[in-house]
Amino acid sequence: MPRIPRVDRVLLNAQIYTLGGSARVVEAIAIRDGRIVAAGSTDEIRALAEVGTLVDDLSGAVVLPGLIDAHNHLLSTSLVLQQVPLYDCRTIPEILDRVRERAARTPPGQWIIGRGWDEALLRERRHPTRWELDRAAPDHPVVVHRVWNKLVANSAALAAAGITRATPAPQAGERYAGGFERDPETGEPTGLFWDRAKRLVLDAIPEPSEAQLADALRHGCRAYNAVGLVGVAEPGLDVREIRAYQRLRDDGLLTVRADLLLGAWGYVPARREPELARWIGEMPVYGGFGDDLLRLAGVKILLDGGVGDRTARFDEPYLDEPDNFGQWVVDPEEYPSLVRWVHERGWAIDTHTCGTAAQDVAVRAYVAAQAAAPNPRLRHRVHHAYFPSKEVLRLMAQHRIPALVSTPFLLHLGDSFIASLGAARAARAMPLATYLAAGVPLAGTSDSPITDFNPFVGIAAAVTRRTVLGRQLDPAERISPEAALHSYTLGGAFALGHEATRGSIESGKLADLVVVDRDPLATSEEGLQQTRVLRTMLGGTWVYEA
């Protein structure tokens, strides 16, 4: 082994999966100034320790590169961790019981927010109503969010928002495009709101301060470190949210590397788009400004909706709805020019595409922008990427356009896919093996808080392709545990343009790693999802210990 300068820390006696370089597994590593400087046998690395070097004997434990979620709303998740969790509810009475329990320990008049119900998983196969929520929490305004794109508000919340039977339904092009449901007999709002019409209710909820956002982020970072996450791309932020990240970083409490993406088209009403364009266009920096811990990295665009609520844009209709092909959130005729405009200003783009038609438009726009103004530094990508056409597969492979695959959706939302598309069509969702065979780069994501941010849930979902109700989605699209782990390590690093510094355990890379309680490449499918993190290291410092 060549001469190594004095090292700060050595990790010895471990089973370290490097996922890069010439050695797949090593026993030990040496760290200096937050980076790995050597990897090898325990005897080789022990010889590098001097007086003052910290020595960690890991007693044979398994070590992995630090895990990266390439599309994860860490800030929103940090706030959701303080809300009422509804993801595992299977009946409306369960939802009401949890709201009732929170109301019992919340001062009257304060808002109660819950999140995670999915009518496809509820015994009743419907949403809760305002009147049911009224009975559970008569003295509180209540909002319970569906996993995606819908919410139900109780009567107190509607009153706080000034919504009555006389409130007109939003029209296309208005500030609150979308809709809300009325009782067919009385005309009263049932409490169900969807798309941008949700803002009619959400604008009435007091916004947390910048300091409160930063404090929530602090707790969120610890929760992420506890499942092995050391990096995220955080999509769709505004000025106040970006400042909360910087505040936490300045306080020395940011323990998840964060690539911040500006919230762009699809997030604001049409009348505010000129203001949005000025904000992005007048930025004095471009994508990549910052350091290895926190950087302004790109722009997120929301092109279509979701599958479970039948708003993702397809070329063929939804089950039993021959006239419903989904919706465009951004005009597909306008989108390519927006991509070109953002590209020319030096920002990488992450576009939400759930339907085949939307993914086709996004990928073609990326290819055209790079052809017109080549900039290999910009790694544009599509997230969700459920149903690629053959031509899109070819283009993504040829141009190395990453697919950010939200694999936990297969587990948690797969049943809603079946309800919307039918079993045969839904089974093809997120064709992981097809992507890999075609040569498309894959990055694992959770899109938390839509689904579980625990990367081992996403890794297991990629391996099993089974829904929460036990339905098997196309088993031919299953991938190996190693390929799934790669998507959350080197795959995530590549998608974000960090493959030179992150994603594997190699000399010169950042010393980000996790110690786990089992070998995820040798355990059972059930054991894979139950993998427990014992320690997490960020830049050579332990930031979490179980």
Side-chain angles (χ1 to χ4, degrees), residues 1 3 50 53 69 84 151 177-178 191 255 297 324 348 399 431 466 516 546:
M1 180 172 288
R3 173 70 179 167
E50 304 176 15
T53 299
D69 189 323
V84 182
L151 62 79
T255 57
N324 182 11
H399 297 277
R466 279 195 296 271
V516 292

Side-chain angles (χ1 to χ4, degrees), residues 95 132 156 208 224 246 297 322 354 364 438-439 446 485:
I95 294 174
E132 289 169 325
Y224 277 39
Q246 185 170 359
C354 287
R364 291 177 186 278
S446 66
L485 177 62

